[in-house]
Amino acid sequence: MVSVRRSHDLHTESLSQASWLATLAFSDEDRKSAVNAAHDFICTLDNNPLLISISRELVEILNTLNMDAETLTAAILYPYWQRELVTEAQIIEFSSPAVFALVHGIEQMAAIRMLHTQKRGELPPDQIDNIRRMLLAMVEDVRAVVIKLAVCIIELRLAKNADEETRVLTAKEAATIYAPLANRLGIGQIKWEIEDYCFRYQHPETYKKIAGMLDEKRKDRAKYIREFVAQVDDQLNTFNIKGEVFGRPKHIYSIWKKMQKKELSFERLFDIRAVRILVDSIPACYAAMGAIHMKWRPISREFDDYISAPKPNGYQSIHTVVIGPEGKTVEVQIRTTQMHEESELGVAAHWRYKEGTATGKEDGYQEKINWLRKLLQWQEDVNGDDNLLDELRSQVFEDRVYVFSPKGDVIDLPQGSTPLDFAYYIHSNVGHCCVGAKVSGRIVPFAYVLQNGDQVEILTSKEPNPKRDWLNANLGYLNSSRARAKVHHWFKQQDKEKNLAEGREILDAELKRSGLTLEQVEPAISRFNMHTLDDLIAAIGGGDVSSSQIINFIQSRQQKAQLEIDERVFNRKLSQPKQTGNAQGIIVQGVGNLLTYTAQCCQPIKGDNITGYITHGKGISVHRGDCDQLSQMLDQHPERVVDVEWAGSSSEGYRVTVRVTAMDRTGLLRDITTILANEKAYVLGVRSHSDEEKQQAGIDIDMSVPNLDGLTKVLNKLGQLPDVFEAKRLH
């Protein structure tokens, strides 16, 4: 459930300015005076009760985070700036340029709405992560990020009275961008409230159902936790254990998420109420656990010791669930202060544990997140020490710039990138054909350095025409190595005659070594997206295609052609007239030569232990004795079993499927087919798949073998091939 604050009540005398200020626990008088003065100022601008309520609610949210006087002042003024009721000059005159910079920073972040307007709230995962990064890069002061998160909560609350489409789109934006951002910054108070609002709007029925299952209001549960924390404090003091105890009840979204993840019913959740104990040492952790268990009975199956056996990500803590007062379950987490610090800022950080990590570019981003977290603690720990703040700023060098494409996508480029870098990032041909660029609708030179939030449009010609000046570092046309490499490649293509001669020499030598001819290379032209044989040879000389790739392609074609020949020969053999008698070589015990067929589910071959099953109108199906499908059929109709056995000979082979798992290497398929040919196993079909990450290949071969002994011999020889891990029969 979401928080209910005093500012929500617009119609009572208790919301007079003096009464409202009295309800807030300011940590110092400077903050209280700043808020009081700012409140007087906004009342002179517009005395609208809704605007005043919004400004007050922002203060209430941010004051619980112990934000400084400038932040609280900027928060009060922002709703009026947003509605153009106050000017930049008025803000600076009333307060300071720093406060206006905060207000302006919040407005910069509001540009994110453009993406959701264009994409209707549906963003691909890579764009979502880029947007999160852009938000952090666009603002110079992290306090603006925190204010924006508080503004997000208010926008979600106000969306309650909007139409359903607006509510859902607002919730999607908050769930995709701002809740994860709050989580990564470690601001749990804001994160859970955003998540609850989003869950309420996106899944209203489920939200109401879980809310109904909670047999007490959030305020009551919060009161229960406060009383339980006090009892835990007393119990620790009884055993002279020094520690800090705090906690809060679970919110509805977290309850639903755990129910989904663990596939548990509401009644089986034991951590709706949770407290955490921080102590100084590991022995104190176990002493605290003993003290807790002496007073409240633990639920043994819910106990986890991640101190003696940490999680793979390094997370350490003791988790136990006890039966607390009134018979209600409470989860207790016990850890040292160092473990808590590592959980928040180290490899087991809370946001990594809950969200996982995005691919690529993570190290610099993680450094920025740690820096932002330190700044969030700055107001409380440093008390305005500007020297330490400057030191923190110098620890992080901003090495990325985030710009918009004309369609609204966020493009992540190296700091110092130019419009040409942007063009080559989009596509090589866009860069080659670039003749100009617009930034936010204005023509700019190629040496223009892109800034965060720029919208870039590339002007192109029909024909590519890169300039060698673009490679001159002193002119500043290109900054990224990726773009320079593409320009280098284009000019290399212009040296085709030289590459053609070198490529022909390389290819001739490789063909001679492999016993192949130049005519056999022609099918590779289309395979490597070339137009002529000379283009392919020039690509070899320029290093874009290796000669070994060509040879491997030719050899694989030859192997495929041989497999097709083998299959045609086998099919002709099958089409020959069959000999009299049971073609499968199967005798039904005591009955004679009845209609039989081998079951496709297990495909028995001669030598397998077999059992017959009488079907309706199809004769007798013959299964392997260990066939699962046969077992199921006999469970239902045991009377249909019949004894069968192999005859002395058979007029045709038996079909089986064999899987070979091996290291992916050149010539593997050739070696396999050579063994099959030598053992007179007819190949009916081949299917292969490879795992590039593990560099492994799996090859499934449908073949015909004369009997079980023949299959065993084939499997043994396949298993002895170099780099083969396993050869086994599938069915």
Side-chain angles (χ1 to χ4, degrees), residues 605 656 658 705 707-716 729:
I605 63 175
V656 296
V658 169
V705 295
N707 50 43
L708 184 61
D709 291 337
L711 174 62
T712 302
K713 191 174 181 182
V714 167
L715 292 177
N716 288 338
R729 174 185 179 185

Side-chain angles (χ1 to χ4, degrees), residues 27 42 65 242 269 293 383 393 422 464 503 516 699:
S27 57
I42 62 173
L65 300 176
K242 294 182 179 179
L269 291 179
H293 286 178
N383 294 323
R393 290 186 186 278
F422 176 90
L516 302 172
I699 302 176

Side-chain angles (χ1 to χ4, degrees), residues 40-58:
D40 287 338
F41 180 64
I42 62 173
C43 288
T44 64
L45 299 172
D46 192 322
N47 208 22
N48 184 303
L50 177 61
L51 285 180
I52 293 176
S53 172
I54 292 173
S55 292
R56 288 180 173 183
E57 186 173 0
L58 284 172

Side-chain angles (χ1 to χ4, degrees), residues 31 67 74 77 84 129 158 217 273 333 513 630 678:
R31 300 184 189 192
M67 300 304 288
L77 296 176
E84 299 181 351
D129 204 56
L158 295 177
K217 295 181 180 179
R273 307 164 194 86
Q333 297 180 1
R513 187 184 66 81
L630 174 66
N678 292 340

